Amino acid sequence: MKNEVLIVGGGVAGCAAAIALARNGRAVTLFERETTPRHKVCGEFLSGEALEDLHALGIDVSTLGAVPLEYVRLAAARRAAEAPLPFKAASLTRKSLDTALIAGTITAGVRVVRGQSVKSLDRKTTGLWQATLEDGTSFEAPTAFLATGKHDLRGHGRPKDPHQWVAFKMYYQLSPAQTAELKGASELTLYSGGYGGIQPVEEGLANFCCVVKQPYFARAGLRWEGLIARMQQDCPHLAMRLAGAEPQLDKPIAITHIPYGFLRRTTDEGLYCIGDQAAVIPSFTGDGISIALHTARRAVASFIASESAPAFQAKLRSAMLPQMRLAEAAANGLNNPLARAILPFCLRVWPGAMRVTARLTRVTQPAAPVPQAFAN
Ligand SMILES: Cc1cc2nc3c(=O)[nH]c(=O)nc-3n(C[C@H](O)[C@H](O)[C@H](O)COP(=O)(O)OP(=O)(O)OC[C@H]3O[C@@H](n4cnc5c(N)ncnc54)[C@H](O)[C@@H]3O)c2cc1C
């Protein structure tokens, strides 16, 4: 098979782009370094936009065991307040979502090469993109999509994270009383060094995912046990939620160096950067998956319309800039002690604040033509 497009990374953005391209008759090879999907650090919140895009790709999350979410609760110190979510939302483990996406990619007719990392992606003097795997095998095509998520490929790196964020995810079995309290809710808990989200996911589990600055983690002794104790001290609401909870993983999954606020400025001819390789929005928005799907959809539309990759990347950047900057400003607010103290109070007296923030920090839909896979 003669490749038209190589896609590096078989997560949300890579699979979404692969399915859309294959449904539009393109010969695609996708590379995914894992043999089977694994747990990933993610709050696993699926926004309304994400649900719509997944549906258009043939993925109905309700059949995969997704849990509907109806409201958001904000807790800082001893205060908590809640507001209804202004859109349909759900939660689903990344393992289930990534499994469905890879299955959909194979069904769409994409050649999927799994179990090896792409070591390099270079543009040859012929103008073709060449992806070279760990075992030295290489593949060539005129176009490549870079969708490696948080992993940077040599020569295509993103800037360093100046704040040294550290993120963790742990599944808990909550006590029956706390499971009932959390039903239908996505809870955001705030600390002096970051924030965390807790929400129900399938099979009666709760996902607790947090992001903290490195000095806060250091003051907790650079150990998970110290960190979770410190966060519960900072936010007694979290302590209440986790009382009697049983951790379901031997140790939390962790990642470091998350370049929040990154928006790729430019790219090379024939190379479309999507997902976290295009933009990294602060995690509290719960919008990263939606952005991964959105950037995949726009990149495929641009490729099909024969728009150049640098033009695509520049347009994407200017379309996303306002939402990204607003989300960053809101994230800074969450890290400000005064804002943290008054936020739940504000939400109680003005519940619309959460709805407004949720709307403003979401990505606006593009005017670009919609590729076939997303057009149902
Ligand atoms: C703490 C935290 C919480 C978050 N919570 C949420 C949330 O609740 N809701 C939400 O919508 N978003 C959330 N996000 C963001 C979301 O997880 C990401 O934005 C989204 O997964 C990006 O999709 P992607 O396709 O770019 O990357 P991924 O889905 O991570 O996919 C990248 C894939 O590329 C593969 N890969 C990497 N390198 C190579 C290589 N060299 N060769 C081959 N394959 C490779 C990886 O194995 C992976 O499967 C959160 C992020 C963080 C850090």
Side-chain angles (χ1 to χ4, degrees):
M1 181 182 81
K2 204 166 173 353
N3 285 307
E4 285 176 82
V5 180
L6 305 177
I7 299 184
V8 187
V12 178
C15 286
I19 295 171
L21 287 164
R23 287 190 189 169
N24 280 276
R26 306 306 167 116
V28 183
T29 298
L30 176 142
F31 306 96
E32 168 51 47
R33 64 182 200 166
E34 303 292 345
T35 315
T36 51
R38 295 190 304 153
H39 290 304
K40 282 179 179 157
V41 177
C42 183
E44 302 178 332
F45 175 91
L46 295 173
S47 67
E49 292 97 330
L51 293 174
E52 277 172 30
D53 274 346
L54 288 169
H55 182 73
L57 290 168
I59 295 172
D60 177 0
V61 297
S62 63
T63 63
L64 303 174
V67 174
L69 297 174
E70 281 138 30
Y71 54 101
V72 60
R73 198 178 282 141
L74 186 63
R78 297 188 180 279
R79 293 199 185 86
E82 65 187 44
L85 277 164
F87 43 75
K88 222 171 97 183
S91 62
L92 179 71
T93 59
R94 286 302 303 271
K95 207 170 168 185
S96 299
L97 179 62
D98 290 2
T99 302
L101 280 164
I102 277 282
T105 304
I106 295 167
T107 306
V110 173
R111 174 161 64 164
V112 176
V113 179
R114 280 196 275 182
Q116 275 197 72
S117 285
V118 168
K119 295 312 279 178
S120 62
L121 180 66
D122 300 313
R123 191 153 185 247
K124 312 307 295 176
T125 45
T126 54
L128 295 178
W129 283 94
Q130 183 181 64
T132 306
L133 306 185
E134 278 169 273
D135 68 1
T137 322
S138 62
F139 296 75
E140 287 186 348
T143 303
F145 280 50
L146 183 64
T148 50
K150 60 181 179 288
H151 305 279
D152 290 334
L153 268 192
R154 188 173 40 82
H156 306 281
R158 300 166 303 166
K160 290 265 172 286
D161 154 27
H163 300 292
Q164 298 183 297
W165 290 104
V166 193
F168 298 89
K169 176 173 95 174
M170 174 56 98
Y171 288 121
Y172 287 99
Q173 182 76 61
L174 299 186
S175 72
Q178 294 303 322
T179 302
E181 283 283 315
L182 193 63
K183 192 165 186 274
S186 179
E187 281 189 357
L188 190 64
T189 49
L190 309 180
Y191 328 107
S192 54
Y195 54 85
I198 183 162
Q199 58 186 20
V201 283
E202 68 259 30
E203 290 162 13
L205 293 181
N207 169 337
F208 176 66
C209 186
C210 62
V211 187
V212 296
K213 287 187 177 161
Q214 217 278 342
Y216 187 80
F217 184 41
R219 284 197 295 277
L222 296 173
R223 292 179 58 86
W224 169 247
E225 292 73 19
L227 180 65
I228 189 84
R230 196 183 164 95
M231 288 189 288
Q232 291 181 76
Q233 242 173 26
D234 257 16
C235 183
H237 182 89
L238 179 67
M240 175 195 73
R241 197 56 84 228
L242 294 182
E246 294 287 339
Q248 299 295 305
L249 303 173
D250 293 340
K251 55 181 181 149
I253 317 167
I255 56 167
T256 55
H257 302 299
I258 312 158
Y260 287 129
F262 166 73
L263 249 181
R264 197 175 285 271
R265 280 181 185 280
T266 183
T267 184
D268 294 318
E269 201 57 60
L271 180 68
Y272 295 80
C273 299
I274 56 177
D276 281 359
Q277 287 294 317
V280 184
I281 197 157
S283 300
F284 81 92
T285 60
D287 221 11
I289 293 172
S290 164
I291 289 177
L293 293 163
H294 176 91
T295 54
R297 168 153 46 88
R298 285 186 75 141
V300 171
S302 163
F303 168 73
I304 288 170
S306 303
E307 183 177 46
S308 78
F312 154 76
Q313 215 73 49
K315 274 192 198 166
L316 183 74
R317 180 183 159 82
S318 55
M320 292 187 64
L321 201 58
Q323 281 88 357
M324 288 291 281
R325 293 299 165 253
L326 195 76
E328 272 193 296
N332 289 338
L334 296 182
N335 287 315
N336 175 296
L338 179 65
R340 229 179 10 255
I342 61 167
L343 264 175
F345 178 72
C346 296
L347 189 62
R348 199 168 293 152
V349 295
W350 184 36
M354 188 66 91
R355 284 198 288 279
V356 172
T357 312
R359 268 211 192 92
L360 290 176
T361 54
R362 307 218 98 71
V363 194
T364 47
Q365 295 304 308
V370 177
Q372 211 193 328
F374 287 101
N376 336 0

